[in-house]
Amino acid sequence: MYPAELVKPMREDLTKVGFEELHTAQDVDSALAKEGTTLIVVNSVCGCAAANARPGARMSLQNAKRPDHIVTVFAGVDKEAVDKAREHMVPFPPSSPCMALFKDGELVHMLERHHIEGRPAELIAENLMDAYNANC
């Protein structure tokens, strides 16, 4: 588990634009029980989260259509919440960072780490915006 002071700025990178942090399995289940669309970002301390994932997630919110709810869990910190989020992402294997779009609790779009790592934030944002346009 990472120290709170280490991940604080990484958490704030998403919360400052409106992402709600989920810390428990119940938080995740409650978020996914809400009607509409929910984007879950599994945040991470890795370099691709800083350079690609978080900026891409933030940029995607500039789209005309966007998820009703935006939430985040932090790998290596919020173990219970991350494990529960990953249960909802089956059949995709666990990866971090990753992003999943749910519609009425059902997984409709997934960006795994291999879709994020080495790709520019703009491409990640575009991928998410396409998913928003199709599902939101």
Side-chain angles (χ1 to χ4, degrees):
M1 300 306 261
Y2 297 107
E5 59 275 0
L6 172 74
V7 300
K8 185 176 188 273
M10 297 171 207
R11 287 181 181 275
E12 290 173 348
D13 208 10
L14 294 178
T15 59
K16 72 182 178 188
V17 296
F19 279 83
E20 176 190 355
E21 290 184 301
L22 307 178
H23 302 286
T24 69
Q26 181 58 42
D27 291 345
V28 172
D29 284 341
S30 294
L32 291 177
K34 293 179 181 175
E35 189 175 313
T37 51
T38 302
L39 176 67
I40 296 181
V41 174
V42 178
N43 203 347
S44 170
V45 299
C46 76
C48 66
N52 313 80
R54 290 191 300 268
R58 288 192 320 267
M59 289 173 14
S60 76
L61 300 177
Q62 302 307 311
N63 197 46
K65 289 185 176 183
R66 54 180 279 177
D68 299 307
H69 315 283
I70 52 174
V71 300
T72 182
V73 297
F74 208 108
V77 179
D78 303 316
K79 181 174 177 15
E80 180 185 335
V82 171
D83 289 349
K84 180 53 82 171
R86 286 176 173 161
E87 284 179 25
H88 290 279
M89 295 173 190
V90 169
F92 297 95
S95 67
S96 58
C98 70
M99 302 175 201
L101 183 65
F102 294 83
K103 185 171 187 173
D104 297 326
E106 296 297 319
L107 181 64
V108 294
H109 187 75
M110 184 74 186
L111 271 173
E112 298 174 84
R113 180 186 175 106
H114 71 268
H115 298 123
I116 296 168
E117 193 171 31
R119 290 181 172 73
E122 294 80 8
L123 189 61
I124 293 161
E126 184 179 306
N127 181 297
L128 289 171
M129 289 187 279
D130 288 344
Y132 303 162
N133 290 336
N135 295 287
C136 297

